[in-house]
Amino acid sequence: MAKITQRPDVKAFFDPATNTISYVVKDPDSNACAVIDSVMDIDYAAGRITYENADEIIKYIEDNGLKLEWQIETHVHADHLSAAPYIQEKLGGKIGVGENITVVQDVFGKVFNEGTEFQRDGSQFDRLFKEGDTYEIGNLKAYAIHTPGHTPACMTHVIGDAAFVGDTLFMPDGGSARADFPGGDAGILFDSIQRVLALPDETRLFMCHDYGPNGRDIQWETTVADEKEHNIHVGAGKTKEEFVKFRTERDAQLAMPKLIIPSLQVNMRAGEIPTDKDGRPMLKVPVNGL
């Protein structure tokens, strides 16, 4: 288990197009760092990929003389595209995701009719994290907790006194993420949230998304204690039954994320854009497949 006495330096980067927050997490005692949940820009209507968000992260790392050791994906995102390969080409850093990426690859490999050339073994990634796996960012101790429910491959990464929860939780006034994607489950999500809330009260929690409920400014950092007391979906002693009922009814009213089709194809490949038989970058649109 990571030492709660370690306090990493955390720099956030907010992408307003997808309401995603990416992070550079630095070891305070060395120049080592990790990037968590990077974003690649896409103009889906025009079929155009650009890298403004990733370039901002790269510039920050270079300007501060940092050494990128890890690129962590908390899960296979359905609302933005990962820029991990682009950043890796510039700065290095091993790309890691939860081992249940293989479940996601199997499900969506069929949805997108990927054929046998698409490997469904997670080999596109440099590291597949299992429950309790540990790793280091310089002298920082980190470990992974399997927190499924939103997707089967969701992991929370605890790095010193900071935990990066992906879509397992939102800010207290945002509640929680949907659980109706293939492999999602509201009851399992509730149990995963309880695992996060079992961390020490002072643990800093960093969100992957924020939508500014009720018009407030965008936020991304809270604590375990604050979530336990104030989270509108699971806080103040709400039961699993209450959560499952609410989450199921709520999810039935939600539209699909605007970027789910390109995001899944790219992110299940560790951020690589698929190509056609002639090697040209190409995305598919399955009809009535999702």
Side-chain angles (χ1 to χ4, degrees):
M1 183 173 289
K3 297 178 182 178
I4 196 68
T5 54
Q6 293 185 303
R7 185 178 177 87
D9 300 325
V10 180
K11 170 68 174 176
F13 297 82
F14 178 68
D15 173 38
T18 63
N19 289 83
T20 303
I21 304 100
S22 307
Y23 299 97
V24 174
V25 184
K26 179 189 173 294
D27 172 20
D29 298 322
S30 75
N31 67 345
C33 72
V35 169
I36 297 180
D37 292 333
S38 63
V39 173
M40 177 168 62
D41 305 285
I42 183 171
D43 181 341
Y44 192 28
R48 184 174 296 112
I49 295 290
T50 54
Y51 298 97
E52 289 86 355
N53 275 283
D55 285 338
E56 186 179 354
I57 290 173
I58 290 167
K59 184 177 188 300
Y60 177 83
I61 291 172
E62 290 179 337
D63 286 353
N64 288 277
L66 306 183
K67 180 178 182 292
L68 181 58
E69 295 189 347
W70 287 98
Q71 294 195 68
I72 302 298
E73 301 291 344
T74 55
H75 62 294
V76 177
H77 312 278
D79 43 25
H80 72 272
L81 286 66
S82 169
Y86 176 79
I87 296 173
Q88 187 177 58
E89 182 182 348
K90 306 286 186 183
L91 299 176
K94 291 174 286 188
I95 302 172
V97 74
E99 65 172 342
N100 277 2
I101 179 63
T102 57
V103 177
V104 177
Q105 288 175 330
D106 187 55
V107 170
F108 290 106
K110 295 171 184 173
V111 169
F112 292 106
N113 193 26
E114 295 295 354
T116 56
E117 69 275 9
F118 173 57
Q119 298 298 311
R120 294 160 168 82
D121 58 2
S123 56
Q124 301 88 346
F125 297 81
D126 300 311
R127 174 78 179 268
L128 301 183
F129 291 104
K130 299 181 177 67
E131 163 67 29
D133 273 358
T134 61
Y135 60 101
E136 296 180 349
I137 305 164
N139 298 312
L140 273 175
K141 308 300 181 183
Y143 68 99
I145 304 173
H146 187 211
T147 48
H150 174 61
T151 79
C154 288
M155 305 290 285
T156 291
H157 287 261
V158 183
I159 306 171
D161 76 336
F164 298 84
V165 301
D167 286 6
T168 302
L169 273 172
F170 291 158
M171 292 295 292
D173 59 349
S176 61
R178 65 195 301 163
D180 63 332
F181 292 150
D185 184 287
I188 292 173
L189 179 59
F190 181 88
D191 293 340
S192 293
I193 290 171
Q194 301 313 305
R195 297 196 68 198
V196 173
L197 299 185
L199 294 168
D201 279 354
E202 66 271 22
T203 304
R204 296 182 290 162
L205 300 182
F206 291 90
M207 311 294 111
C208 185
H209 296 287
D210 188 65
Y211 301 93
N214 300 312
R216 69 151 167 76
D217 291 341
I218 297 297
Q219 299 175 7
W220 48 75
E221 180 181 349
T222 182
T223 64
V224 167
D226 197 25
E227 291 280 15
K228 285 199 294 192
E229 181 66 25
H230 300 296
N231 186 283
I232 59 173
H233 293 172
V234 297
K238 290 186 174 61
T239 67
K240 184 174 183 177
E241 290 72 21
E242 289 174 319
F243 177 81
V244 170
K245 181 177 185 297
F246 166 81
R247 190 70 268 168
T248 302
E249 293 173 353
R250 171 67 174 153
D251 289 350
Q253 303 170 21
L254 297 177
M256 279 289 161
K258 293 179 181 178
L259 295 179
I260 188 170
I261 288 175
S263 295
L264 291 174
Q265 290 175 81
V266 168
N267 294 337
M268 69 181 183
R269 290 176 165 84
E272 295 287 354
I273 301 170
T275 58
D276 65 12
K277 61 183 177 59
D278 297 318
R280 295 174 301 184
M282 194 70 63
L283 294 165
K284 298 177 182 177
V285 179
V287 177
N288 298 330
L290 290 174

